Amino acid sequence: MRTFAVVAFVLLLGPTASAATLTVEVSRQGFTLPIDVAVAPRVDGTPPEWSMTKTLPAGGGGGKSAVSFEGLPAGLYVVMASGPQPLQRLSTKANLGSDGSTVRLVIPQSKIELRTMLAGEPLVRAEITFTHRELRWRTEVETDDDGRFTGTLWEEGMYTANVRRHHASSGPYSVDVWLSPKPVTIDVPDRHVTGRVLASGKPLAGAIIDLRSENGQSTLTVRTQSAPDGRFEFFGAREGALSLTARAPSYLDSDTVTFELHGATGQHSVDVELTRGEPRAVRVVDTHGAPIAGATLIASCDGHLKSTSVTNAEGSADVALPRDASCAIYALPKEGSLAVEPVKGSKPLLIRVREGASSLRLALKSEAGEPFSAMSVLMRIDGVVIPPAIARLLGSRGFSLITNEEGSISLPRIPRGIYEFWPYRSSAEGQMLYETATDFKAPISVEVLPGENNATVKFQAR
């Protein structure tokens, strides 16, 4: 095992806010149709939530048009101009200062030719969701009866394409593609995972099935729902080791099913049985005792995700738990913050959530200053270790525990406390660290105080 020497520091910055005007100038380059201009606060790694939209009317002589968004807090934003076609999307970052800012967009006159194939044959009426790799906005395209799409492309670059069969309840084939005026072909491999979700031996509709793959360089999770007859399908599955789980309201999450697919073609079929757990009454309140409505509750038992639920207006919910297991319940209010409570005895649980008035940006670098990208971290908060299965869920809530290209993770709206971390590369290594973390001191420890916290950690191999 490698041993690292660690240097860490925390810089506290106070938040600032002031109203300003963001002006967006669009050079139409001859485009005369209406253009929608949208603005969203920018949070790295999360899809933009468009808070304001204005429309530049048709006409304008195909020259320049402008629109202003007034009264915005100073900060970082994403700006998008969009036309009526799905790939008529042009985006940029904006840094809005207290004196206001102006961003300029120039609409290109580019065309795109796209085709989808399945094992070399046209994949007709394929539904493709393109996600911009950097700014995370999405748009959807449907191919024709020959598997083709032809249209206008406003923004060349790298996208993640999720390809589905037309109107089929199948999990998507996911691949990174570079969209440009050059012809683009997406060839879906002929590897399939099929099965049924059952409850007491009967088909269960509407269950969510996740298929997770890890190829040594990246981890990918694709998702679908079971049909009315309980059946599901993933097509274009990755080659190698795969793991599958299923979940549904009022049921415990299934045990993980692992298997492998190899070769240009392959198929694996599996039936997944879901069982009902024993309900445990849980109430979630803030530090003043007021109920927290809409909080997500996650039950983790022996390191595995077993069920989720959401609190009602009184801050209450029933959480399904298995018998004779060591469990903890995580509370995630929709406004932010995080709390965890071990399950003891059979009485109702009260979870008190501290205010999420802090944030942490942690950068992992070498002594020479090179960032460690695509590295996962195991996290311990005030002595409680977060299982990797729960950490993956936290990622969907904006708690990034995988470093970006700059070697950083971001934890917004968290409570103050002692946060400890173990870096790791593979899922197997992460699980091993989780199982032994209580016996070892973490290599990274940061005291998070109220406000914005930034820490840089440098590693030196011995």
Side-chain angles (χ1 to χ4, degrees):
M1 179 179 293
R2 302 176 71 188
T3 303
F4 298 91
V6 182
V7 178
F9 64 89
V10 181
L11 176 64
L12 301 181
L13 300 175
T16 59
S18 59
T21 298
L22 176 62
T23 300
V24 182
E25 294 183 358
V26 181
S27 179
R28 290 175 169 267
Q29 299 282 90
F31 184 81
T32 59
L33 296 178
I35 299 174
D36 291 330
V37 180
V39 173
R42 179 160 64 88
V43 180
D44 287 342
T46 62
E49 297 182 5
W50 306 111
S51 56
M52 301 183 69
T53 302
K54 295 187 178 183
T55 300
L56 297 172
K64 290 185 178 180
S65 301
V67 64
S68 294
F69 297 87
E70 300 176 347
L72 295 179
L76 304 178
Y77 291 87
V78 177
V79 178
M80 173 182 284
S82 58
Q85 293 186 24
L87 291 177
Q88 289 178 338
R89 304 288 188 271
L90 185 60
S91 62
T92 189
K93 300 176 183 179
N95 188 351
L96 180 61
S98 58
D99 295 333
S101 301
T102 299
V103 297
R104 296 172 175 83
L105 299 172
V106 179
I107 296 177
Q109 300 179 10
S110 301
K111 300 291 184 181
I112 185 170
E113 295 182 6
L114 171 70
R115 192 176 192 191
T116 53
M117 313 286 286
L118 176 60
E121 297 295 327
L123 182 58
V124 303
R125 296 292 173 184
E127 298 172 351
I128 311 172
T129 300
F130 287 107
T131 302
H132 192 275
R133 280 294 302 274
E134 182 182 8
L135 300 183
R136 310 306 298 167
W137 53 263
R138 298 177 180 178
T139 188
E140 296 182 352
V141 164
E142 183 175 327
T143 62
D144 61 18
D145 290 333
D146 194 32
R148 298 179 185 274
F149 172 84
T150 302
T152 305
L153 175 69
W154 282 4
E155 186 159 347
E156 181 177 340
M158 183 65 74
Y159 294 76
T160 296
N162 284 335
V163 185
R164 287 181 171 86
R165 297 181 193 268
H166 181 59
H167 292 324
S169 59
S170 62
Y173 168 67
S174 183
V175 65
D176 291 337
V177 295
W178 183 272
L179 296 186
S180 73
K182 296 181 180 179
V184 178
T185 298
I186 300 176
D187 197 351
V188 180
D190 193 17
R191 289 188 293 270
H192 305 261
V193 177
T194 60
R196 297 180 302 166
V197 179
L198 306 172
S200 300
K202 297 181 180 180
L204 182 64
I208 297 175
I209 305 99
D210 288 339
L211 182 68
R212 188 167 182 265
S213 61
E214 184 175 341
N215 63 9
Q217 296 180 337
S218 64
T219 299
L220 174 68
T221 300
V222 291
R223 178 172 297 165
T224 190
Q225 284 187 299
S226 58
D229 61 358
R231 296 187 180 277
F232 62 87
E233 177 195 19
F234 294 92
F235 85 119
R238 268 187 176 186
E239 187 174 16
L242 303 166
S243 60
L244 184 143
T245 56
R247 66 181 187 274
S250 302
Y251 291 88
L252 298 174
D253 287 17
S254 72
D255 293 334
T256 301
V257 179
T258 58
F259 53 93
E260 294 188 3
L261 283 178
H262 294 284
T265 62
Q267 183 165 335
H268 185 86
S269 183
V270 58
D271 288 348
V272 182
E273 183 80 26
L274 295 184
T275 58
R276 293 186 183 274
E278 296 183 348
R280 175 63 60 91
V282 178
R283 188 163 185 264
V284 182
V285 299
D286 62 20
T287 53
H288 304 290
I292 299 179
T296 299
L297 301 180
I298 303 171
S300 170
C301 302
D302 298 319
H304 299 284
L305 172 66
K306 296 309 296 180
S307 67
T308 59
S309 56
V310 178
T311 59
N312 59 20
E314 288 74 40
S316 300
D318 286 336
V319 178
L321 298 174
R323 292 183 180 181
D324 303 325
S326 177
C327 301
I329 296 177
Y330 294 79
L332 301 170
K334 58 185 178 181
E335 296 82 7
S337 196
L338 167 70
V340 58
E341 187 72 24
V343 177
K344 298 179 181 178
S346 58
K347 294 182 179 180
L349 291 177
L350 177 66
I351 301 178
R352 196 175 299 273
V353 183
R354 293 179 295 160
E355 183 181 3
S358 305
S359 66
L360 171 64
R361 181 182 177 273
L362 175 66
L364 307 182
K365 297 184 178 182
S366 69
E367 272 197 315
E370 295 296 324
F372 287 107
S373 62
M375 176 174 282
S376 301
V377 293
L378 182 72
M379 180 170 67
R380 182 163 61 193
I381 305 175
D382 290 337
V384 178
V385 182
I386 310 299
I390 304 302
R392 288 192 289 270
L393 270 184
L394 295 181
S396 65
R397 301 293 297 263
F399 297 93
S400 172
L401 292 174
I402 301 177
T403 58
N404 58 20
E405 293 180 354
E406 298 174 350
S408 300
I409 65 169
S410 178
L411 302 176
R413 297 177 295 178
I414 56 176
R416 64 179 299 174
I418 302 298
Y419 288 72
E420 300 169 278
F421 304 92
W422 290 262
Y424 66 91
R425 286 291 187 188
S426 68
S427 294
E429 184 183 0
Q431 187 63 31
M432 181 189 70
L433 285 171
Y434 169 72
E435 293 171 356
T436 60
T438 55
D439 300 326
F440 296 98
K441 182 180 179 180
I444 303 170
S445 180
V446 179
E447 182 181 4
V448 172
L449 301 176
E452 183 176 318
N453 298 258
N454 292 285
T456 296
V457 178
K458 293 187 176 181
F459 295 86
Q460 178 184 16
R462 289 180 178 175

